Amino acid sequence: MCGIVGIFRHEGQVSAELYEGLLMLQHRGQDSAGMVTFDGVRFQERKDNGLVANIFDKKAIDSLKGSVGIGHVRYPTAGGLSATEAQPFFVNSPLGIYLIHNGNLTNVDELLMGLGGRMMKTTSDSEVLLNVFAEDIAQSITSNPGSDMEKVAFDAATKTMKKVRGAYSVITMINQVGLFAFRDQNGIRPLVIGQRKAVDGSDRDEFCVASEDSAFGPLGFSRVRDVNPGEAILITPDGRLESRQCVNGKISPCIFEYIYLARPDSMLNGISVYEFQLELGRRLAKRIKDRCEDDDWEIDVVVPVPDGSRPSAIEIAQCLDLPYREGLVKNRYVGRTFIMPDQRTRELSVRRKLNAMRSVFNGKKVLLVDDSIVRGTTMSQIVQMCRAAGATKVYLASSAPPVKHPNVYGVDMPSREEFVAHNRDEEGVCDLLGADGLIYQTVEDMLQAGRGMNPQIERFDASCFDGDYVSGDVDDVYLENLSGAGRGKGRKGASAPAR
């Protein structure tokens, strides 16, 4: 999971706006950030490990000249944790191309074999993707000398999409061509287009392409549409928006985006993240009501685990006619524990991140609502906090079904053994977490919630819940190799603290 943004302006410096866009996407990656701008003559680049605000001070922003640029925040799922793995990546030939990528490729070894003499500087699949695309551009130029560079870029993207499997939402800057973006044929990771009138007051159009449309608001862009699965778009140096359906596509977005990854104020693939989370709460409330009747759950108060569970928790409290209380106070200066790169850092961060208010919990039977329970690291400690704050009963409700399978498309949870629900039923998970009761969302209710909001989506990628991978090339051998490669809590360099 990463956040990407590209902005085209007719005049003025784009770096400050890229900075604002990356701040709005910081939730998608906290390991590193990078930015590159283009002034029509040369590229200017800066990238490093750390948060956006720590990497880009005023001096850095002022040094990034140009009216066109791209930016990236990284949560590493492939490659190491070194700053050399930070994006954007660059190749000088042909033309000069910078690339940023959100997703994860599933046929990297095959792609590397086809690259011949091209050498990689990192272990990142994004660098492999860049070199595949660059090689296809070079071949298009060679086989069609004198061809229009726009056609060359679209032809190359078509060739690349026919080779590459997995999840990829990509934004590039190509010298002599423009800002060029494309999305995989399943549309697994989001990519959306924004538009505004030029900041110089003229009637010319300016554009933004980003992982989420929540990045548009502070910059004055209005949402136009999603980039379609299998589509490439080009914003030319003179500000024209061109597009081509390069390969046949059918939208099958990752449903975990709506549960955990995306901001609630984003609209992805025609579905409001916030409305989706409310619907999850309504559906889960019906199951909780049955559990209260069948298993004698007695609930005094509903408390969310901040922040992602709030919409569902609010809806559950309303449906069950129970008081809703903010009983867990969040330290805003601690990062998201799930996307921290190693288990020890996650565990140390939980108690720095949350504190239980005794006035809410003392003497109460509490229903804690979380958006998902993945490793159980956070939840087991929260249950202990609630009891220490005086809760007499602690029941748990997860807005998502149990996570039982690796997500190979850009979320770092590839090893089955890391999941608290691995080889455990609901009762077993409940005992391990130390709760008095546990209820999960069902997979079918979750999928129905999504389909009900956009009937055009016939299939979501819900592979981390049901083991059904939309790219069609993921089997047990692939998953075993992925786990053995050192991803997840076994990732090389994972002892480094998350930033």
Side-chain angles (χ1 to χ4, degrees), residues 22 36 60 69 120 203 219 267 345 357 459:
L22 289 179
V36 62
M120 304 296 115
D203 198 41
L219 306 175
M267 173 84 72
T345 303
M357 286 196 290
R459 178 185 183 186

Short mmCIF file of all heavy atoms in Angstrom, two decimals, residues 22 36 60 69 120 203 219 267 345 357 459:
data_model
loop_
_atom_site.label_atom_id
_atom_site.label_comp_id
_atom_site.label_asym_id
_atom_site.label_seq_id
_atom_site.Cartn_x
_atom_site.Cartn_y
_atom_site.Cartn_z
N LEU A 22 0.58 14.95 -0.77
CA LEU A 22 1.19 13.83 -0.05
C LEU A 22 0.77 13.82 1.41
O LEU A 22 0.60 12.74 2.01
CB LEU A 22 2.71 13.90 -0.16
CG LEU A 22 3.30 13.58 -1.54
CD1 LEU A 22 4.82 13.72 -1.52
CD2 LEU A 22 2.91 12.19 -2.00
N VAL A 36 9.36 14.41 -7.44
CA VAL A 36 10.17 14.89 -8.55
C VAL A 36 9.34 15.88 -9.35
O VAL A 36 8.13 15.70 -9.53
CB VAL A 36 10.67 13.74 -9.44
CG1 VAL A 36 9.53 12.98 -10.08
CG2 VAL A 36 11.63 14.25 -10.52
N ALA A 60 13.75 22.58 0.71
CA ALA A 60 13.58 21.48 -0.23
C ALA A 60 12.46 21.77 -1.23
O ALA A 60 12.61 21.53 -2.43
CB ALA A 60 13.28 20.18 0.52
N GLY A 69 4.71 17.59 -11.69
CA GLY A 69 5.46 16.74 -10.78
C GLY A 69 4.65 15.57 -10.28
O GLY A 69 3.43 15.51 -10.46
N MET A 120 19.09 -3.78 -12.25
CA MET A 120 18.28 -3.15 -11.20
C MET A 120 19.19 -2.67 -10.08
O MET A 120 20.15 -3.35 -9.70
CB MET A 120 17.26 -4.14 -10.62
CG MET A 120 16.32 -4.78 -11.64
SD MET A 120 15.24 -3.62 -12.47
CE MET A 120 15.85 -3.79 -14.14
N ASP A 203 -8.85 30.29 -18.56
CA ASP A 203 -9.87 29.26 -18.72
C ASP A 203 -9.26 27.89 -19.03
O ASP A 203 -9.97 26.95 -19.37
CB ASP A 203 -10.84 29.66 -19.85
CG ASP A 203 -12.15 28.89 -19.78
OD1 ASP A 203 -12.65 28.70 -18.66
OD2 ASP A 203 -12.64 28.46 -20.84
N LEU A 219 -6.40 21.32 -2.74
CA LEU A 219 -5.74 21.85 -3.93
C LEU A 219 -6.72 22.46 -4.92
O LEU A 219 -6.31 22.98 -5.97
CB LEU A 219 -4.95 20.73 -4.62
CG LEU A 219 -3.95 19.98 -3.74
CD1 LEU A 219 -3.31 18.83 -4.50
CD2 LEU A 219 -2.88 20.94 -3.22
N MET A 267 -13.91 8.75 -2.23
CA MET A 267 -14.84 8.01 -3.08
C MET A 267 -14.00 7.15 -4.01
O MET A 267 -13.23 7.67 -4.82
CB MET A 267 -15.71 8.96 -3.89
CG MET A 267 -16.60 8.29 -4.92
SD MET A 267 -18.15 7.66 -4.26
CE MET A 267 -19.03 9.19 -3.96
N THR A 345 7.87 -3.33 16.95
CA THR A 345 7.51 -1.92 16.91
C THR A 345 6.03 -1.73 17.09
O THR A 345 5.57 -0.80 17.78
CB THR A 345 7.97 -1.29 15.58
OG1 THR A 345 9.37 -1.48 15.44
CG2 THR A 345 7.67 0.20 15.56
N MET A 357 -10.08 5.58 29.07
CA MET A 357 -10.64 6.51 30.05
C MET A 357 -11.48 5.74 31.08
O MET A 357 -12.48 5.10 30.73
CB MET A 357 -11.51 7.56 29.37
CG MET A 357 -10.73 8.59 28.63
SD MET A 357 -11.73 10.04 28.25
CE MET A 357 -12.83 9.39 27.02
N ARG A 459 -17.44 -8.24 -8.86
CA ARG A 459 -16.50 -9.00 -8.03
C ARG A 459 -15.52 -8.04 -7.36
O ARG A 459 -14.93 -7.18 -8.01
CB ARG A 459 -15.73 -10.00 -8.90
CG ARG A 459 -14.69 -10.82 -8.14
CD ARG A 459 -13.92 -11.70 -9.11
NE ARG A 459 -12.96 -12.55 -8.44
CZ ARG A 459 -12.08 -13.34 -9.06
NH1 ARG A 459 -12.05 -13.37 -10.38
NH2 ARG A 459 -11.25 -14.09 -8.37
#
